[in-house]
Structure formats: C-alpha cells, structure tokens
Amino acid sequence: MNGAQHILHAFHRHHISTVFGYPGGCIMPLYDALVDDVSVEHVLCRHEQACALAADGYARASGKLGVCIATSGPGATNLITGVANAHRDSIPMLVVTGQVPSGLIGTDAFQETDVLGMALGIVKHSYLIDDANTLPAVMEEAMELAQSGRPGPVWIDIRKDLLLAEVADADAPAHRPEPQGVSHPDLTQAIAMLRTARKPLLYSGGGISLAHAENSFRAFAEASELPAVVTLKGIGNPGKHNPYNLGMLGMHGSRAANKAVDECDLLLVIGARLDDRATGKLDGFAPNAKTIHIDADAAEFNKLRPTDLTISGELNGILAALTAALGDNPLTIGDWQTQCRTWHTTGGFHAADNEEPLAPITGPAFIRQLSRIAPDDTIVACDVGQHQMWVAQHYEFDHPRHHLTSGGLGTMGFGLPAAIGAQFADRHSTVINVTGDGSFMMNAQELATIRRYNLPVKLIIMDNQCLGMVRQQQELFYNNRESQINLDDNPDFVAMARAFDIPALHIERTDQIRRGIETILAYNGPMLLHVAISREENVWPIVKPGASNRDMLDETRRPNPANKEHAA
C-alpha cells in the first residue's frame, strides 16, 4: 500500500472511525484513498480551524484520540489556533497535514509553509516524514505519544510524493507505555500530612478526566470527606451531589471556594497546574498552607509555587492507594467541614430566579433553568466570555466530560465546532453549544456542517450586543472607557440560522425561558435559541487581574471609576 493508504490502515488498527478535515492539493492522495475506505467517517468542516476544534471536542467528550487533517500552507496554518487550544488543555489529538513534494522543499513553492517550525511550541511532538518507510513506525509512535502520560497534540507533516510512495512494511509493532509505579513512602507521608492537618482542602483540575480517573477520585473524595474546590476544567469531578464541594475557585470562583483556599492549612492538589486564573496573585494564594501536588506531569511541580510533597504517576493508582490507606479511620476535621459548609451556604454561587415574568433575562437565571431542565448526561460546549463563566458558576455538571470549555487558551469560536465533535463522539446524548454573540461569529460557518450531517446540536446564543467580558473589565478596571466592544450591528441570528435551514427562536423575557429551553430540547434536530440579555450585566464575583483572590469584587464592592488605582 502507499503512504496515504497506510495512514488509513493505522486508523483501523487503532479503532479510529471519525476524523475531521478539509482537502487541498498536497493532502489529496489521502482524500483519494478515503474514496475506497468506508470504515473511516470523514467530517467536512467549513474551516480548518473548526476541524481542529471539532477534533478537540470529540476527544474531550469521548476520552479518545481526536484526529484532524488539512493540506499544506493555509490549510495547515488555519489549524494552528485549534491545535494550540488542545495543547494548552492537554487534549489528545493527531494532526495530519500534507506538505509540498520533496523536490520543492525549501523553494518557496506554492502553499509551502514551515508548519513544524510554526507549531513547535504548541505540540507535544512533531514529525516531517522524509522516507515513506518510516511512516508505519511514526504513526504508531505518534498515536501513543498523543495519549500517554500527559496527553497533547502530535503533528505529522508528510510530503505529497510520500503519500503516493509504496510503504514496504505496513504493520509496525504497536508500542504501549509501561505503567508507572507509585512511591509508597510518598503516599505514607501524604497520609501523615492529611491526618495532621486541621484544615485540609482538596483541589482538583482537568487532569482527573484526562487520566480517566473520575471514579477513583470520587471514591477518595467520599472516603476522605475533604472540603473540595475545582478549577474551570475540573468542574464535574465531584459529581452533582458531593456535600463538600465548594465549586470553582479563582477569578470568577465562589467566595466560599476562595475563602477555603485562603484559610486552609494543607492544599492537596490533584491533576491541576495552579493556573494564574485559579490562583490569583501567587503570594496571596493559600498563604497558610503546606502543599501536596499529585500529577502525571512532573514538570508542573514547583513551577509556580514551592511544594512540600510531590507525587508523580498514574492518577488512578495513586488515588486508589490513598483511599486504601485512609481505610475506615476518618480524618478529624469536623469543625473545618462545618465551617466550609457555612461558607458554601453564604458564599456559594447563588442567583435568585427573577419572579417578574416580564423582566429581562439575566445570564445566571437562564443557566440555572437550563441546568434544571436539561438531561443529566447533557454535554455543554461553551465559547469564551461571560456566558462561559455563568455556565461554570451556575450549571450543575455530573461529569467533567459533560463540560467542554477552552481553559488555557480561551479560544473564542471554540464552542460550535467542539459541540459538533462531541455530537459525533456521542450520537445519543443531548449536546448544547452555549455561546455569546461575539464568539458565535468566529465560527458561524459551521452551521453548514451541522446542517449537512443533520446533527441535533442545540445552539444557545446569549446576546448582549457587545464583547461582554471585555466591556466588564473596561468598566471596572479602565475607568469605564469602552473601546471596540460594540456588536449591535451583528446580523439577525434567527434569520441567519434559518438561512442554513435550522429552525430558531428568540426570547427576551423571564417568562419565556422555560418554553424556549423545552422547545429546543424537544426538537428532533438542530435548533437555535437566541436569548437577549442586558448589555450592562456583569459576571460576579470577579478578581482584578494580578490581585489576590481574597480581594474579590461583587456588585456591592465594585471599584469607583474615578479611582485611578483600579486602572490596569
């Protein structure tokens, strides 16, 4: 078989049945091979960035490898934002791009780009294939690398002539990483630190779902009864009914979560990287606490904060060993548990439902109703902005794979392609894209993808006719000097959806929320709900960038615009 046929052969070996791509000149041999291969479903997105973001959403929702394909030059460069998004959130992805023929490398040929050089900082590893006979081994290694240890995108760039060249040995041996052991002395010390602490706090992130360690984590959380906080990517780790879960911490976290971090004397960090949006100003973060940091990637240890104990390895094994070590001897932290529950009651995420039927819709009230009405296994793919934070604050997720959000890169335009990928990953679950009017326009062309495949994705646009999060920070920290945030000339989104043959509704009053949500969820196919909200609505609470999490602002403590110290 030739190089192109071998790539499909490798997909078969690894049970890859769905890929996202866009054809072009230098990747054309692979698309020619697809004509004769009915076992791989190719999803034609309408922009290469959307191909990468759809592969990302597929991987997040399924826990499997996401695959995207594009041609050289602009095809490859259009992938870069989506690949960077996957890299920042450690999402397993395989990227395959065509490159100009071997004889034209380095000649500034048509659609030649040094994509490996451009992508160097946003991939786990990359390859430029210069010998067709190396392709089998490279494919095996690339798919293993993308999924093992700390996952991430791996990029294979292959010259067009090598896609057509014969491959001598198509069956390279599969490689599997050896399981990592757990250091028992480290675990003994960790248990000792937990039993000595009077105010221990469990802090979990996206690494839990990346390691497929949700069940092990919940078993440990139940056995330890530790008060717990989560990062943006850790939302859903404890499930919906953990009585000790204080919710998300950080810039838009709950007062209860940030207060617990501020007061704790031991911080047990599992599968998280102490991101700046979670920690705020580092010297004000958990100032009284010793730290135990458990992660698959030892490079995260001591990167931002000195750690008292580090444990690196496979999270399922470590969590199971910790749970066993606790045994039937509970931690003596009753007073601390009571205090944290009190904080959660008074400082958790609360948003009263507006009882006035003709009142304008507020973001938090809408999201809380959506959370109550949607099925428990609903997958919500967010974009980036105020709606993203309202979802993080007010939607109750039962599983981290149900909450798809761009955490590290903050990619506007992520949500719609990610929802497409998630729907291909799970054909039977309800998938909702919650987006803003700014983010939606970033990849609105993917309405055509939804229509082509008749995907039953539900789209909810929370429209405040501006870049809401930018407007909020300009109001609070730049003396209310608005700059380039007005979007009141956006198209009619209902008419736009209907132009793609997708039904749509518009709502603007509180008494329309339930009907709007129930209508789109009941519809057998894609449907869009346009939700008009106030331009002036803010996300509360908020921590000023660079400030300590203890200095949270809310509507009663907003800065005085005349006070120059609040201007960044």
Side-chain angles (χ1 to χ4, degrees):
M1 61 181 70
N2 64 24
Q5 292 165 333
H6 173 71
I7 291 173
L8 299 181
H9 178 68
F11 289 168
H12 299 158
R13 285 169 57 95
H14 288 266
H15 309 290
I16 294 169
S17 58
T18 304
V19 301
F20 303 86
Y22 203 97
C26 287
I27 197 67
M28 209 170 294
L30 181 56
Y31 278 83
D32 182 65
L34 276 168
V35 174
D36 301 317
D37 192 320
V38 296
S39 62
V40 175
E41 181 176 24
H42 179 280
V43 180
L44 179 68
C45 297
R46 298 306 174 96
H47 191 287
E48 290 92 351
Q49 183 188 108
C51 297
L53 294 174
D56 182 318
Y58 178 94
R60 291 182 198 241
S62 67
K64 300 176 182 178
L65 182 68
V67 178
C68 58
I69 301 169
T71 192
S72 63
T77 59
N78 281 344
L79 290 173
I80 283 179
T81 296
V83 176
N85 190 79
H87 181 261
R88 288 299 306 274
D89 285 351
S90 302
I91 304 302
M93 180 185 291
L94 179 68
V95 185
V96 179
T97 52
Q99 184 54 274
V100 299
S102 299
L104 295 177
I105 292 285
T107 68
D108 296 329
F110 177 68
Q111 293 191 334
E112 180 189 8
T113 305
D114 177 16
V115 68
L116 263 63
M118 296 176 69
L120 189 62
I122 58 166
V123 294
K124 189 174 178 182
H125 196 62
S126 56
Y127 305 85
L128 174 61
I129 305 298
D130 57 9
D131 179 351
N133 290 319
T134 66
L135 186 59
V138 166
M139 289 293 295
E140 292 294 325
E141 184 176 79
M143 287 186 276
E144 175 191 310
L145 278 173
Q147 299 174 88
S148 62
R150 181 175 182 168
V154 175
W155 197 312
I156 299 176
D157 197 38
I158 180 167
R159 302 171 185 181
K160 183 177 182 179
D161 55 309
L162 301 185
L163 286 168
L164 295 166
E166 182 178 344
V167 175
D169 180 12
D171 289 312
H175 299 285
R176 293 290 179 267
E178 292 294 323
Q180 294 175 284
V182 177
S183 171
H184 291 283
D186 281 350
L187 294 183
T188 301
Q189 186 180 350
I191 293 296
M193 292 173 71
L194 281 169
R195 294 205 179 280
T196 303
R198 288 294 161 261
K199 299 179 179 180
L201 187 66
L202 179 58
Y203 175 132
S204 68
I208 300 298
S209 62
L210 291 173
H212 306 277
E214 298 90 348
N215 292 336
S216 299
F217 175 81
R218 291 182 186 185
F220 172 72
E222 182 179 340
S224 66
E225 297 186 331
L226 286 168
V229 299
V230 294
T231 67
L232 177 65
K233 279 191 64 198
I235 289 171
N237 284 345
K240 292 174 68 170
H241 306 297
N242 184 313
Y244 300 105
N245 178 29
L246 302 175
M248 184 176 71
L249 82 162
M251 176 178 280
H252 293 289
S254 71
R255 284 195 172 278
N258 285 340
K259 181 69 172 174
V261 172
D262 201 48
E263 293 287 332
C264 72
D265 63 4
L266 177 65
L267 197 63
L268 175 56
V269 182
I270 305 179
R273 60 188 181 89
L274 299 175
D275 174 73
D276 60 288
R277 287 295 177 99
T279 65
K281 188 178 180 182
L282 276 170
D283 62 11
F285 178 72
N288 307 308
K290 293 183 178 179
T291 306
I292 302 172
H293 196 169
I294 302 173
D295 203 275
D297 185 4
E300 292 298 333
F301 298 152
N302 302 300
K303 187 169 79 173
L304 294 169
R305 174 192 171 102
T307 304
D308 298 276
L309 175 63
T310 61
I311 303 172
S312 177
E314 196 273 318
L315 294 189
N316 270 302
I318 295 171
L319 286 164
L322 285 171
T323 303
L326 285 173
D328 296 324
N329 186 9
L331 301 177
T332 310
I333 54 172
D335 290 345
W336 173 240
Q337 291 168 329
T338 300
Q339 177 64 80
C340 288
R341 282 196 295 268
T342 301
W343 285 333
H344 185 53
T345 300
T346 60
F349 292 125
H350 302 292
D353 292 330
N354 194 327
E355 300 297 333
E356 173 54 51
L358 301 183
I361 296 171
T362 66
F366 178 87
I367 295 300
R368 287 169 75 85
Q369 283 216 49
L370 178 65
S371 180
R372 287 194 292 264
I373 296 170
D376 282 348
D377 63 351
T378 296
I379 298 170
V380 178
C382 292
D383 271 288
V384 172
Q386 289 179 317
H387 68 276
Q388 177 191 28
M389 293 298 104
W390 287 325
V391 168
Q393 292 175 338
H394 299 288
Y395 197 103
E396 295 185 15
F397 289 95
D398 197 43
H399 197 284
R401 294 201 183 278
H402 296 164
H403 176 231
L404 313 186
T405 195
S406 175
L409 198 64
T411 304
M412 292 178 68
F414 166 79
L416 179 51
I420 290 170
Q423 194 72 82
F424 275 102
D426 189 340
R427 307 296 177 106
H428 304 294
S429 288
T430 300
V431 177
I432 302 174
N433 169 215
V434 178
T435 185
D437 47 322
S439 289
F440 178 73
M441 290 295 287
M442 292 277 186
N443 270 314
Q445 78 283 340
E446 295 311 310
L447 291 175
T449 307
I450 287 177
R451 181 69 276 165
R452 166 176 286 220
Y453 297 97
N454 196 29
L455 300 176
V457 173
K458 315 304 179 187
L459 302 109
I460 297 174
I461 302 176
M462 305 189 74
D463 185 358
N464 55 8
Q465 299 195 336
C466 68
L467 295 173
M469 190 63 82
V470 180
R471 183 210 55 75
Q472 176 173 343
Q473 293 213 18
Q474 288 176 348
E475 174 195 338
L476 299 179
F477 310 129
Y478 290 84
N479 297 320
N480 206 22
R481 289 162 54 88
E482 292 188 355
S483 178
Q484 302 302 318
I485 50 87
N486 186 35
L487 298 179
D488 64 4
D489 56 353
N490 269 334
D492 179 335
F493 291 123
V494 170
M496 185 175 179
R498 290 172 178 167
F500 286 90
D501 199 23
I502 295 174
L505 290 176
H506 168 84
I507 63 173
E508 58 188 31
R509 302 193 315 266
T510 298
D511 64 341
Q512 298 172 324
I513 293 177
R514 173 169 287 275
R515 179 183 64 85
I517 294 171
E518 290 178 344
T519 299
I520 66 167
L521 292 180
Y523 185 72
N524 184 25
M527 193 168 188
L528 182 145
L529 180 62
H530 179 241
V531 184
I533 61 174
S534 169
R535 187 181 189 276
E536 287 71 35
E537 190 171 0
N538 288 334
V539 177
W540 302 110
I542 183 174
V543 176
K544 178 185 176 183
S548 171
N549 284 348
R550 70 167 66 96
D551 299 322
M552 301 189 79
L553 301 173
D554 56 32
E555 204 156 11
T556 64
R557 299 180 62 234
R558 63 170 71 217
N560 182 350
N563 189 344
K564 297 297 185 182
E565 73 174 276
H566 289 292

